[in-house]
Amino acid sequence: MRATWNGTVIAESDDIVEVEGNPYFPASSLRQDLFSESSTTSVCPWKGTASYYSVTVDGTENTDAAWYYPAPKEAAAQIKDRVAFWKGVTFSD
């Protein structure tokens, strides 16, 4: 599966874990040069505290377009070291 934003593939992997309708990509599958840490966090009652990345393609930033759980709760252990996307990121096989 490919994750694309602004016409550029930002992550690609055959090893996808789907949770709540969101495909989670291995962190190692991200084009690291396009991602930057964000100070944003959010809390899910069963997954834990999420952190965010912003994605920049061709000088355009998509703030907080990716999220991950650095220390997911036990119920969400399958998404450790994985990243999910939103805010206009599209997916294809």
Side-chain angles (χ1 to χ4, degrees), residues 1-5 8-19 21-26 28-31 82-85 89-93:
M1 178 178 276
R2 284 182 204 91
T4 303
W5 185 72
T8 297
V9 175
I10 60 173
E12 186 170 8
S13 179
D14 292 328
D15 178 19
I16 302 298
V17 172
E18 189 169 317
V19 175
N22 295 305
Y24 281 78
F25 287 70
S28 61
S29 72
L30 275 60
R31 286 218 18 221
R82 293 183 174 272
V83 180
F85 305 97
V89 175
T90 59
F91 305 100
S92 62
D93 289 325

Side-chain angles (χ1 to χ4, degrees), residues 13-54:
S13 179
D14 292 328
D15 178 19
I16 302 298
V17 172
E18 189 169 317
V19 175
E20 296 181 325
N22 295 305
Y24 281 78
F25 287 70
S28 61
S29 72
L30 275 60
R31 286 218 18 221
Q32 297 295 327
D33 59 314
L34 303 177
F35 290 80
S36 58
E37 291 279 345
S38 167
S39 61
T40 301
T41 61
S42 63
V43 177
C44 171
W46 72 274
K47 290 187 295 258
T49 300
S51 295
Y52 290 78
Y53 292 119
S54 294

